[in-house]
Amino acid sequence: MNTKEKTLKQKRLEQLFQECQDTVISQTLSALGLCKGMFTDRDGGNVTTLKNFKREDNSYVHERDHASYEQANKKFERSDYTDRAWNEKKAKYKAGGIDKYTGKEFEDSTSVDLDHITPLKKIDSNKKYHLAYNTGTDSGRERLRDIANNDQNLAPTNASINRSKGKKTNSEFLESTPIERKKELGVNDELMKKEEKKSQKYIESQGNKELLKKQTKEILSSGGEQAIDMGVKQAFSSLMIEVINITFNEVKIIVRDENILDKKSLKQFNNRIKRNIRAFICKVPDILKDSIKGGISGFLSNLFTFIINNFISTAKKIVTMIREGFRAIYRVFKMIFFPPEGMSKTEIWANAIKLLSTTLITTFALTFTDTIAAFLTVNLPILTPIADVIASVFIGIISGLASALISYLIDSLLDKFIDRHDEQMMDMLLEQSEIREKLVTDLITFINTSEKSVQVYTHIIQRNQLICQNFATIENNNTVIHSGISQSVKKIQKVTEQTKSQITKSIETVNSIESSQIDIEIFLANY
């Protein structure tokens, strides 16, 4: 084995160890109830199917339908179907005057009876109607009573025909009654069959409609709840795995660091925490996507369980296996039909095989959970309160580790026997790995340098801010001085203007005095 093959094998082992660690964390969290507690699996699933409702016991019937199950299995009582408007209906049909079984007019209206075309006992013995109408409630029994006494199931006929027919269907009556007796009663075979067909069609269609409405509502309700539960479980598991992995890595670094309390180590620890937080935030969109996928698989697994229970009654362990395995089946389907871009066919099928093998291992391992719990209860009674938890943790870890090992073996076989084992592909894988490692190292160095530069830039900015504040103070002082000088100049200018005005007035006064003096001198000279 050359150096490159050894390096590739080492990377495969590191991947295996990481998957094992994630698996142990995930399965332990689930088994301890942090995720598993949100599910309450039951025999028969979350929606009662007609097959399970017809069983001799109600263990596969949902609790909400137990009362209807009891009503369906109790002895028939005609009083349960008494129609309060029976006399009014009978009077209405008498007024019509036509016998539905003979096609003739009534000769004596006092001998007219109303016959239930489909007998009440036959309706009551059909468990589908009890499930569909939810006869465990008063409103459900009333709805079934209204259907049984609907005009579509009533036929006015001669009292003698009605009593001869009794609790039989029209077909049973026609088959069991001699021809001579039918002629004596005057019954028309075609009319009786026509009325029976009309009645059965009405009752059956109404029952099917009610059952479909009931089960659709319950599928949507329980499927929505399971979708939310599975989505929350997936998101919670992913978040906890990330947090625990980050914590483990930090603990390993701290243990290796001898000077964990010095300033440099604390600063490095602070930087790592910031990087981990940023990396964690970047993974939130992927966690949300996984949560949505988990929700879809939860809804589909609920629907799939209901479909299966229409043919086979499934115990709650099977329900659990369906729910837990359905997400893997969904991922296999998506991998095969909607693979990621750039993935070769070999890689697509390899990943699909790994997902399928994981599903099979998990499904197979779950069948032993009750066995291990029972073993612990019998042999170690002190562990009885937590036997289920221990069994779930053990089975979860074993199945998870087995799945990771199978994935490792599949990758190793592909490396050895398929195109990925050639030298060129190994060079590419190793080169990409080395490039990624170098890129990570360079990024860490760059981040540390950037952090130092930011600190220097912060100090420079603070000093520049101080200088700016000083300049602002000086500018404010200069503004005040300039304002004072401007005001003084304006005052001087004003005084100067006033002085000029006074001088001009003085000159005018002097000139006036001189002119007056000359006039006086001329006057004196004349006199």
Side-chain angles (χ1 to χ4, degrees):
M1 184 182 292
N2 56 40
T3 304
K4 293 180 179 179
E5 288 177 340
K6 289 181 178 179
T7 304
L8 182 59
K9 184 176 181 180
Q10 181 63 31
K11 291 186 178 298
R12 292 288 186 213
L13 288 172
E14 291 176 359
Q15 182 182 0
L16 172 63
F17 293 150
Q18 184 61 45
E19 289 180 357
C20 290
Q21 177 178 311
D22 293 345
T23 298
V24 171
I25 295 171
S26 177
Q27 295 295 341
T28 302
L29 288 174
S30 178
L32 288 175
L34 296 177
C35 299
K36 188 177 180 180
M38 62 183 65
F39 299 105
T40 305
D41 294 321
R42 51 176 59 86
D43 294 332
N46 295 318
V47 180
T48 303
T49 62
L50 183 57
K51 178 177 178 58
N52 290 338
F53 195 77
K54 290 180 178 179
R55 288 172 61 94
E56 294 182 358
D57 61 89
N58 65 358
S59 57
Y60 285 78
V61 176
H62 196 283
E63 288 82 356
R64 75 172 78 90
D65 297 311
H66 278 185
S68 298
Y69 180 87
E70 296 300 325
Q71 183 70 21
N73 286 278
K74 81 170 191 174
K75 186 178 179 181
F76 168 69
E77 295 180 10
R78 199 184 189 290
S79 59
D80 291 339
Y81 294 89
T82 300
D83 188 356
R84 289 186 291 270
W86 183 257
N87 292 329
E88 289 83 353
K89 290 181 180 180
K90 190 173 181 179
K92 181 183 73 171
Y93 277 109
K94 281 183 179 180
I98 300 295
D99 190 318
K100 290 291 185 74
Y101 290 160
T102 65
K104 300 175 183 178
E105 292 185 1
F106 294 119
E107 296 178 357
D108 182 7
S109 61
T110 59
S111 64
V112 176
D113 271 352
L114 270 184
D115 177 49
H116 289 93
I117 302 171
T118 300
L120 295 178
K121 186 174 183 180
K122 185 174 181 63
I123 295 174
D124 185 75
S125 64
N126 193 323
K127 294 186 177 181
K128 176 168 72 174
Y129 302 143
H130 289 276
L131 176 61
Y133 292 102
N134 193 18
T135 57
T137 63
D138 293 338
S139 61
R141 287 192 295 275
E142 185 175 349
R143 284 191 299 156
L144 182 57
R145 182 174 62 244
D146 291 342
I147 292 296
N149 290 289
N150 188 273
D151 290 346
Q152 298 289 331
N153 191 43
L154 297 177
T157 188
N158 190 281
S160 60
I161 296 176
N162 187 29
R163 282 155 181 71
S164 297
K165 179 173 175 280
K167 298 179 180 179
K168 299 176 184 176
T169 64
N170 288 7
S171 296
E172 292 170 347
F173 168 73
L174 292 173
E175 290 175 2
S176 62
T177 304
I179 297 176
E180 292 77 11
R181 178 56 178 167
K182 287 192 287 186
K183 287 181 179 180
E184 180 183 342
L185 294 171
V187 297
N188 185 312
D189 289 22
E190 294 301 322
L191 286 178
M192 291 196 74
K193 289 179 180 178
K194 180 181 177 181
E195 290 297 321
E196 180 182 41
K197 185 176 181 181
K198 180 190 71 173
S199 169
Q200 289 178 346
K201 181 179 179 181
Y202 169 74
I203 295 174
E204 188 71 11
S205 64
Q206 291 298 313
N208 290 337
K209 193 182 299 183
E210 287 296 321
L211 183 60
L212 177 63
K213 186 193 299 184
K214 177 181 185 295
Q215 291 181 334
T216 300
K217 181 180 178 181
E218 291 173 358
I219 287 171
L220 293 176
S221 176
S222 60
E225 292 176 0
Q226 189 151 310
I228 293 173
D229 290 343
M230 284 288 286
V232 171
K233 172 187 175 181
Q234 186 62 42
F236 183 80
S237 296
S238 300
L239 286 171
M240 291 304 298
I241 288 173
E242 291 297 328
V243 170
I244 293 175
N245 280 333
I246 290 173
T247 303
F248 281 172
N249 292 334
E250 285 302 319
V251 170
K252 287 190 290 186
I253 294 173
I254 291 173
V255 169
R256 289 199 303 263
D257 191 352
E258 296 180 355
N259 301 314
I260 59 174
L261 296 179
D262 64 4
K263 187 175 181 180
K264 182 179 179 181
S265 296
L266 291 175
K267 185 176 181 181
Q268 290 176 346
F269 174 76
N270 184 50
N271 292 336
R272 287 197 307 272
I273 293 298
K274 292 178 180 178
R275 286 198 299 271
N276 288 329
I277 292 174
R278 289 194 292 267
F280 182 80
I281 293 173
C282 291
K283 290 183 179 180
V284 169
D286 292 332
I287 292 174
L288 292 177
K289 288 180 182 179
D290 287 340
S291 177
I292 293 173
K293 293 176 182 177
I296 293 173
S297 66
F299 183 85
L300 293 178
S301 66
N302 185 68
L303 177 61
F304 188 63
T305 301
F306 169 75
I307 293 173
I308 289 178
N309 275 273
N310 279 282
F311 305 97
I312 303 172
S313 297
T314 59
K316 62 181 179 180
K317 185 57 65 178
I318 302 298
V319 175
T320 304
M321 292 162 62
I322 292 173
R323 189 193 70 235
E324 296 298 330
F326 209 90
R327 185 170 184 270
I329 295 173
Y330 168 78
R331 292 172 62 192
V332 170
F333 177 85
K334 185 178 179 182
M335 177 63 66
I336 295 175
F337 294 99
F338 305 98
E341 294 184 4
M343 184 174 286
S344 66
K345 290 184 178 180
T346 301
E347 290 175 324
I348 292 171
W349 284 104
N351 285 316
I353 291 171
K354 287 192 288 185
L355 290 171
L356 279 174
S357 63
T358 299
T359 304
L360 292 174
I361 291 171
T362 302
T363 302
F364 180 75
L366 282 173
T367 59
F368 292 96
T369 305
D370 291 338
T371 304
I372 294 175
F375 174 81
L376 293 174
T377 302
V378 173
N379 293 278
L380 297 171
I382 194 173
L383 298 178
T384 298
I386 58 173
D388 289 337
V389 174
I390 295 175
S392 297
V393 170
F394 178 77
I395 289 297
I397 292 175
I398 293 298
S399 61
L401 294 178
S403 299
L405 182 60
I406 290 295
S407 298
Y408 168 76
L409 293 175
I410 291 174
D411 282 334
S412 298
L413 288 173
L414 289 173
D415 290 336
K416 186 175 182 180
F417 295 108
I418 306 180
D419 293 339
R420 289 194 297 175
H421 78 285
D422 63 5
E423 200 69 29
Q424 184 178 359
M425 185 59 71
M426 284 187 177
D427 290 340
M428 185 183 299
L429 288 171
L430 293 174
E431 183 179 355
Q432 289 178 352
S433 176
E434 291 171 357
I435 290 173
R436 288 180 184 137
E437 289 181 358
K438 186 176 183 302
L439 177 61
V440 171
T441 302
D442 291 343
L443 282 173
I444 292 173
T445 303
F446 175 74
I447 290 171
N448 291 331
T449 304
S450 298
E451 289 178 350
K452 293 180 180 178
S453 300
V454 167
Q455 294 176 355
V456 174
Y457 291 151
T458 302
H459 181 67
I460 293 173
I461 289 171
Q462 291 174 349
R463 296 194 61 181
N464 286 338
Q465 288 177 341
L466 182 61
I467 292 172
C468 288
Q469 290 175 356
N470 292 334
F471 275 120
T473 302
I474 293 172
E475 185 177 358
N476 290 333
N477 293 336
N478 288 338
T479 301
V480 172
I481 294 171
H482 183 269
S483 177
I485 293 173
S486 297
Q487 291 178 357
S488 299
V489 169
K490 288 180 180 179
K491 289 181 180 179
I492 292 172
Q493 288 177 344
K494 184 176 181 181
V495 171
T496 301
E497 293 295 329
Q498 292 175 350
T499 303
K500 285 182 179 180
S501 177
Q502 291 297 327
I503 291 172
T504 301
K505 290 181 179 180
S506 299
I507 292 173
E508 291 176 351
T509 302
V510 171
N511 291 332
S512 177
I513 292 171
E514 289 179 350
S515 176
S516 298
Q517 188 175 358
I518 293 172
D519 291 337
I520 293 171
E521 288 176 354
I522 294 174
F523 177 79
L524 292 175
N526 291 327
Y527 293 97

